[in-house]
Amino acid sequence: MKDKFIKSTIILIIGGFITKILSLVIRIITTRYIGTYGIGLYMMIMPTFSLFITICTLSLPLAISKLVSENKRNNKKIIFGIIPIAIIFDIFIMLILIIISPFISNNLLSNKDLYYPILCISFTLPFITLSSIARGYFFGKEKMIPHTVSNLFEQIVRIIITILITPYLLKYGIIATICGLVLYNVISEIASIFILFLFLPKKVTIKKSDIIIDPHDMKDLMSISIPTTAGRLISSISMFLEPILITFVLLKLGYDNNYIIHEYGIITGYVIPMVTLPCFLSSAISNALLPTLTKLNELKDYKGIKRKIKQAIIFSLLIGGLCSIVLILFPSEIMNLIFNESLGIDYLIFATFIFLISYIGGPLSTALQAMNKSKNVMYSNLFSNIIKNVILFILLFLDINMYALLIAYLFQFLFITIYQYLVIKQDLSKI
């Protein structure tokens, strides 16, 4: 088990690092094509995108991973049985998004130009769900190479289509280009699904009975996915409200809408991608950790659980700390090198200290999931996001610009980290 965990972690770290670099390349290319204002518009719809991804995927990757790692049931029926249900559900959510797109763009984001980009989000959702289900299976089997290869292939495809299609779309305006950036996800997710299915066992035969999920399996999947989705949904709703709150308050204070989009674009398009760069490590460790901790929990090896959690936190903080030092020492050089812009350097230095806390959140959340504490993850997300939005709303009226958003993140990360740590400590100390 130890060898599998180390091997899985190394594969995911290497793959995650390369994927993050490729993702950064995409960000650089996109930024140089559409500029700060275009990035601002694009980032205004990202919370809506994240919200509907959370709803459509229903945390199935995590739930499937956990059930598959237990190795107690027919995995084929779990995977192929859930796909038809997930697709029907996605179509229903797509229709809802299509209907409410005008309201989101006109009334909530106060920008009618965002209608078409939000509409485009709906067409990506089934493809994202399918690739998520396939990834969950491989995580449960502790086979990290399919996930890594599909991720790399997906990013390469995205780079190619971004370079080839974006200049053509720019001729039709910035909104058409942003629509294209959203729809690129359809092509890249299809590429990812294709690669993942190549790694499935060759002798798999699908019968009619395989696409009807066992009610017991469905109940177990939902018992994991519903609390987890509720927690993530709370975070996604909070992110969804973020640009709405910022736009509402700053317009009340007399700021111009273009200025709000510009500043929000700097924070979410330039600064946050840089400070979250080390999160690929935390994510890699968390993905490798879930099946390992699940098995340790089944074996009631609580000392092993403590040891693995400590290792995961130490590794996350070490890499996150090193990256933070580099960002603090060379902020201007890094921003100019990557984005060909020096905008947001003060924000970047300030945010670097804040986001260091967030690097240990992944391992703690994963530990709670493995220990059947999904409800505690949901509670931590609920209360931390309430705290974040209340603080954000108050600080915005103090007219301290986007520092209000960063300070709100600080309180959110502190609450999540302290709460989840105390729950894990209390649970393990009873044993």
Side-chain angles (χ1 to χ4, degrees):
M1 190 181 292
K2 182 180 178 182
D3 290 342
K4 269 193 172 184
F5 172 67
I6 293 170
K7 183 181 175 183
S8 298
T9 304
I10 291 170
I11 291 169
L12 287 173
I13 287 173
I14 294 169
F17 177 73
I18 298 169
T19 302
K20 201 72 177 178
I21 295 298
L22 292 175
S23 179
L24 201 55
V25 170
I26 295 168
R27 178 71 62 133
I28 293 166
I29 295 167
T30 304
T31 303
R32 297 192 182 188
Y33 274 136
I34 67 175
T36 305
Y37 182 74
I39 284 292
L41 285 172
Y42 183 62
M43 296 312 297
M44 291 289 278
I45 66 166
M46 280 300 101
T48 304
F49 204 170
S50 298
L51 172 62
F52 279 88
I53 287 173
T54 301
I55 295 169
C56 280
T57 56
L58 283 173
S59 300
L60 287 173
L62 189 142
I64 290 168
S65 175
K66 193 170 188 303
L67 291 190
V68 169
S69 67
E70 291 173 359
N71 204 25
K72 292 179 179 177
R73 54 197 91 209
N74 187 333
N75 295 330
K76 188 169 65 170
K77 282 184 72 69
I78 293 174
I79 305 302
F80 292 104
I82 199 64
I83 286 175
I85 298 169
I87 295 298
I88 292 168
F89 179 71
D90 281 6
I91 292 169
F92 174 70
I93 298 299
M94 283 173 66
L95 293 173
I96 290 176
L97 181 54
I98 289 167
I99 292 167
I100 66 173
S101 290
F103 177 76
I104 295 172
S105 57
N106 297 334
N107 299 85
L108 298 182
L109 296 176
S110 304
N111 194 325
K112 62 180 182 181
D113 291 339
L114 295 175
Y115 166 66
Y116 289 108
I118 292 171
L119 195 64
C120 290
I121 290 170
S122 62
F123 300 105
T124 70
L125 299 175
F127 302 98
I128 293 170
T129 299
L130 280 175
S131 67
S132 298
I133 290 170
R135 289 178 206 279
Y137 166 77
F138 288 112
F139 281 137
K141 284 291 185 181
E142 295 182 88
K143 293 179 179 179
M144 305 306 170
I145 289 176
H147 165 77
T148 303
V149 173
S150 68
N151 257 0
L152 294 176
F153 194 70
E154 180 182 338
Q155 296 299 324
I156 291 167
V157 168
R158 195 171 176 85
I159 288 172
I160 293 168
I161 58 179
T162 301
I163 293 170
L164 292 178
I165 302 176
T166 306
Y168 175 77
L169 290 175
L170 280 167
K171 296 176 184 177
Y172 296 91
I174 196 69
I175 297 302
T177 307
I178 292 170
C179 287
L181 294 174
V182 173
L183 292 172
Y184 293 165
N185 286 280
V186 174
I187 302 169
S188 60
E189 290 294 340
I190 289 172
S192 177
I193 293 165
F194 174 74
I195 295 297
L196 288 166
F197 273 84
L198 287 179
F199 281 95
L200 286 173
K202 302 298 178 187
K203 295 180 180 179
V204 172
T205 54
I206 305 169
K207 302 173 185 176
K208 277 187 178 181
S209 59
D210 293 329
I211 61 172
I212 301 171
I213 195 165
D214 185 281
H216 179 69
D217 291 341
M218 188 67 182
K219 182 183 175 183
D220 288 346
L221 275 173
M222 291 300 105
S223 69
I224 300 166
S225 73
I226 288 174
T228 307
T229 301
R232 290 179 177 176
L233 199 56
I234 290 161
S235 297
S236 295
I237 291 170
S238 176
M239 290 298 294
F240 175 72
L241 291 173
E242 186 180 285
I244 296 168
L245 279 175
I246 291 169
T247 303
F248 173 78
V249 175
L250 294 185
L251 285 174
K252 287 283 184 185
L253 293 175
Y255 285 92
D256 180 67
N257 202 25
N258 288 339
Y259 172 82
I260 297 167
I261 291 169
H262 181 270
E263 290 296 301
Y264 189 71
I266 290 171
I267 288 283
T268 55
Y270 294 167
V271 174
I272 291 180
M274 293 308 305
V275 295
T276 56
L277 192 61
C279 288
F280 81 88
L281 174 77
S282 179
S283 177
I285 292 170
S286 299
N287 286 330
L289 198 62
L290 181 63
T292 302
L293 287 184
T294 299
K295 287 177 182 176
L296 289 171
N297 194 54
E298 288 288 319
L299 296 169
K300 303 191 185 301
D301 183 359
Y302 301 113
K303 287 184 179 178
I305 291 174
K306 285 183 181 179
R307 187 172 63 253
K308 291 298 177 192
I309 294 171
K310 284 179 182 177
Q311 287 174 355
I313 290 173
I314 289 168
F315 288 146
S316 294
L317 281 176
L318 276 174
I319 300 298
L322 288 171
C323 291
S324 297
I325 291 167
V326 173
L327 287 174
I328 291 166
L329 292 176
F330 309 103
S332 180
E333 292 83 354
I334 291 170
M335 291 292 274
N336 276 302
L337 175 67
I338 294 174
F339 298 115
N340 198 29
E341 290 278 4
S342 57
L343 296 169
I345 289 172
D346 292 337
Y347 287 144
L348 178 63
I349 294 169
F350 189 68
T352 301
F353 290 102
I354 291 170
F355 275 78
L356 184 61
I357 305 165
S358 71
Y359 302 149
I360 62 175
L364 290 176
S365 294
T366 300
L368 288 172
Q369 299 287 358
M371 295 162 65
N372 300 314
K373 297 284 181 181
S374 298
K375 285 185 180 179
N376 292 101
V377 178
M378 181 186 71
Y379 295 147
S380 69
N381 282 328
L382 173 62
F383 295 124
S384 69
N385 279 290
I386 290 171
I387 290 166
K388 173 201 155 190
N389 283 316
V390 169
I391 290 173
L392 174 61
F393 189 73
I394 294 168
L395 292 179
L396 283 168
F397 277 108
L398 296 179
D399 203 7
I400 57 173
N401 212 311
M402 289 297 168
Y403 286 105
L405 179 58
L406 297 176
I407 294 168
Y409 278 135
L410 171 62
F411 282 92
Q412 181 185 23
F413 297 151
L414 281 172
F415 181 87
I416 288 174
T417 304
I418 293 168
Y419 175 86
Q420 292 187 352
Y421 170 77
L422 290 175
V423 171
I424 292 169
K425 184 180 178 182
Q426 184 182 22
D427 196 65
L428 292 177
S429 64
K430 290 178 182 176
I431 299 158

